[in-house]
Amino acid sequence: MTRADTGTRGVTVRVPAKVNVQLAVGAARPDGFHDLANVFLAVGLYDEVTAAPADELTITCSGPDAAQVPLDRGNLAARAALALAERYGIEPAVHLHIAKDIPVAGGMAGGSADGAAALLACDALWSTGASREELLEICAELGSDVPFSLIGGAALGTGRGELLTPVATGGTFHWVFALADGGLSTPVVFGEFDRLTAGTDLPVPAAAPALLDALASGDPAALAKTLSNDLQAAALSLRPSLAATLAAGTGAGALGALVSGSGPTTAFLVPDESTARRVAAALTASGTCRTARTALSPAAGATVV
Ligand code: C5P
């Protein structure tokens, strides 16, 4: 089914990608998750999920990376529809179409975004009357990054990343994202983090005050100095070629660079739109990435369109 077919009826939700401007990772917990101080920033690369009445739960996906998206009940969009239907005693008779523009398995929460978008779209389609808190609760059950995809903007995630406190931002930040060939698995990257940090005493993760100040001031140079990702060494260990991508972007004029989440997408903070275009062109020409995209942050969370 094409996007136009589903777009004529049903509910469509637009949902942003994210970058972590700080990802502080603590020791593994008994439940296998890691305590985090995760400063999320929603960025203006979007997926759209359309929920339309159907005989049974089905999923389709369109977009350049559509072939890599699982269309079974393991997809977070399907899991979101099933969780909402179960909670409200509704038959999950819905077709979900994902128009995918967020890189797949790239560390930009594309799967989580689709979960949040499907939840909001089904909620509107079925008129469940669920409160925002109930939707956030279901999001947290679906995955650590899913609640942030619902709220968007900028937020500090603690616990395993699902406990959110909104964070102030003072203006628009310009980004370039270098997309890599193939994805990286989040659990594998956390496993590599465990291997690399074995035997070390990890501090309790906490948001850096200088980073929160930089976000609030809207000063990209200040934010660039404070960008940090504790998963970066693990992502680089698994994908050493990312070092060349980071060097290409900073060499072309980015103020700061880091691996986005668990990677392999790399993120470059730039001062303005013309630098964004220049850095994106240089990254593409460098041959160190598949392609480069520019985007603005913060972006609004999941929204019915
Ligand atoms: O919560 P989510 O399903 O997105 O997590 C995927 C995997 O990433 C988890 O199974 C776990 O291996 C790892 N993870 C973690 N600590 C977190 C979040 C995720 O170890 N705070």
Side-chain angles (χ1 to χ4, degrees):
M1 190 176 278
T2 66
R3 184 156 165 246
D5 291 331
T6 54
T8 51
R9 61 204 184 105
V11 178
T12 297
V13 169
R14 190 171 92 138
V15 64
K18 62 85 183 162
V19 63
N20 310 91
V21 285
Q22 183 188 358
L23 182 43
V25 183
R29 316 189 306 199
D31 66 1
F33 286 91
H34 296 70
D35 273 320
L36 305 178
N38 195 349
V39 184
F40 293 103
L41 197 53
V43 298
L45 297 177
Y46 299 96
D47 282 358
E48 282 185 5
V49 177
T50 299
D55 293 337
E56 58 177 348
L57 178 60
T58 49
I59 312 187
T60 52
C61 183
S62 61
D65 293 347
Q68 297 163 51
V69 176
L71 299 178
D72 57 21
R73 292 188 170 207
N75 186 302
L76 273 174
R79 288 177 48 206
L82 290 168
L84 188 71
E86 191 182 0
R87 186 178 286 220
Y88 288 94
I90 294 165
E91 195 60 40
V94 65
H95 176 78
L96 299 170
H97 181 74
I98 304 168
K100 176 147 281 300
D101 195 40
I102 303 174
V104 176
M108 298 192 76
S112 299
D114 298 345
L119 188 70
L120 196 60
C122 289
D123 180 61
L125 187 69
W126 297 334
S127 304
T128 69
S131 67
R132 191 80 170 162
E133 286 64 35
E134 284 170 304
L135 292 180
L136 282 169
E137 217 175 89
I138 299 172
C139 285
E141 286 162 17
L142 293 170
S144 308
D145 289 352
V146 184
F148 178 73
S149 296
L150 191 71
I151 73 160
L156 167 64
T158 54
R160 61 184 167 88
E162 85 285 20
L163 306 171
L164 298 175
T165 313
V167 157
T169 52
T172 301
F173 294 100
H174 295 257
W175 294 92
V176 181
F177 295 97
L179 279 46
D181 277 318
L184 272 177
S185 147
T186 303
V188 170
V189 175
F190 273 103
E192 182 68 359
F193 171 87
D194 290 340
R195 195 184 69 79
L196 293 174
T197 58
T200 54
D201 226 355
L202 293 170
V204 174
L211 177 115
L212 298 177
D213 288 348
L215 280 172
S217 73
D219 177 356
L223 182 59
K225 282 194 205 112
T226 57
L227 295 171
S228 74
N229 179 0
D230 286 353
L231 291 181
Q232 180 154 318
L236 282 167
S237 165
L238 295 166
R239 194 70 73 83
S241 62
L242 293 180
T245 319
L246 291 168
T250 40
L255 298 168
L258 82 174
V259 170
S260 181
S262 55
T265 303
T266 42
F268 301 88
L269 184 60
V270 293
D272 51 41
E273 200 179 321
S274 63
T275 312
R277 280 198 296 268
R278 201 176 69 240
V279 170
L283 278 163
T284 305
S286 73
T288 63
C289 62
R290 175 159 59 96
T291 187
R293 306 278 306 271
T294 62
L296 303 178
S297 68
T303 309
V304 175
V305 293

